[in-house]
Amino acid sequence: MRVTFLGTGSALPTGERFQAGILVQEDGRTVLIDCGAGALQRLQQSGVGYEGVSTVLLTHHHLDHVSDLLPLVKARWLAGEDHLEVVGPQGTKALLDDLLAVHEYMQDKIDLQVREVVPGEFSVGGFDVSAYETRHSLPCLAYRFDDRFTFSGDSEAFAGLANFAEGSAILAHDCSFPDDVDVSNHPTPDSLGRALAGREIGRVYLTHLYPHTEGRHEEMLESIGSHYDGDVRFAEDLQTISIE
């Protein structure tokens, strides 16, 4: 399995970090998790391209996770691709219907299949996936691809989500702000470290990084490390990880 971070940024993207997007690939299967601003550019830079993505799995519907969704539909139409499947939490169909109602000329350009999922197990893009509800300001799902890869989506850090991720070779977890930012719906390093304490996870990558985190990576890692002694690193755009 190959996991590529397309966008490790947030609703305030920087020149180095675009908005949310992660590619999961294995044996000819490809799933794009989230599709924030810049996802199409990163897809081209990754070598996969928008032609190579026929399945999108959404964690939730905040703009920084869906803003390139309709541009992806248009790019695939113009490139001669005839279908796209979009899978996400409840409300995903209404989201696509509303977007297409605004941009009427995009209706019926490709075979657009929309499927809504709830916490539990299901199949998407040829992968068996488990979903878990997170703690965020909109309904949001974390996703686990067997014992290899788990993505937290947007969420506060809490024991239930840490339990969901335990045993994963790779966990990509929201860590939006340093400790001195008063925030809800996202974790700080201290809260993330406390939640992960004692869990067995191969490696943790921090993502969904606001500009507030720039220049403060070391102190953030130290804060997590005061509670959790596992391997923790910062994800970077276009970074690819191979998982056996």
Side-chain angles (χ1 to χ4, degrees):
M1 178 181 287
R2 287 164 50 88
V3 173
T4 301
F5 293 98
L6 297 179
T8 59
S10 65
L12 299 176
T14 68
E16 300 300 320
R17 299 186 187 277
F18 287 6
Q19 291 181 353
I22 295 178
L23 273 177
V24 179
Q25 299 172 281
E26 184 178 36
D27 297 334
R29 297 166 290 165
T30 300
V31 170
L32 171 62
I33 307 176
D34 287 340
C35 193
L40 267 66
Q41 287 88 343
R42 290 298 195 219
L43 280 170
Q44 294 307 100
Q45 293 168 345
S46 74
V48 174
Y50 36 78
E51 304 94 332
V53 172
S54 59
T55 303
V56 179
L57 179 61
L58 300 177
T59 60
H60 66 298
H61 302 144
H62 273 149
L63 190 58
D64 53 318
H65 295 255
V66 303
S67 58
D68 262 9
L69 192 54
L70 207 58
L72 175 62
V73 174
K74 182 172 182 178
R76 286 182 60 78
W77 160 50
L78 294 175
E81 301 295 334
D82 60 3
H83 72 282
L84 180 71
E85 181 182 30
V86 180
V87 180
Q90 292 181 329
T92 297
K93 185 178 186 305
L95 171 71
L96 268 297
D97 287 347
D98 289 347
L99 287 172
L100 291 170
V102 172
H103 303 277
E104 290 187 29
Y105 79 99
M106 286 301 302
Q107 294 182 12
D108 302 320
K109 296 301 185 184
I110 65 174
D111 176 19
L112 182 61
Q113 300 177 353
V114 182
R115 180 160 51 106
E116 296 184 351
V117 294
V118 297
E121 297 180 356
F122 57 93
S123 179
V124 58
F127 291 95
D128 293 327
V129 177
S130 299
Y132 185 84
E133 187 172 359
T134 75
R135 294 179 180 174
H136 195 48
S137 54
L138 280 183
C140 181
L141 296 175
Y143 295 118
R144 177 168 176 153
F145 292 70
D146 54 57
D147 288 338
R148 288 176 289 178
F149 178 61
T150 299
F151 178 43
S152 71
D154 283 11
S155 181
E156 296 178 4
F158 64 104
L161 183 53
N163 290 339
F164 177 70
E166 185 162 20
S168 297
I170 297 293
L171 166 63
H173 203 294
D174 176 358
C175 194
S176 293
F177 297 97
D179 285 326
D180 58 2
V181 176
D182 184 14
V183 63
S184 60
N185 303 310
H186 297 285
T188 58
D190 181 74
S191 66
L192 180 57
R194 291 178 186 274
L196 294 178
R199 302 310 197 283
E200 294 294 331
I201 297 169
R203 186 180 300 159
V204 178
Y205 284 90
L206 308 181
T207 189
H208 203 267
L209 303 165
Y210 273 78
H212 307 62
T213 64
E214 292 304 312
R216 305 186 66 177
H217 290 187
E218 287 304 317
E219 71 175 80
M220 291 174 69
L221 291 176
E222 288 176 5
S223 179
I224 294 171
S226 65
H227 307 288
Y228 172 68
D229 61 2
D231 185 352
V232 182
R233 308 180 186 188
F234 280 81
E236 303 293 339
D237 282 25
L238 293 175
Q239 179 179 11
T240 295
I241 303 152
S242 295
I243 309 169
E244 297 299 327

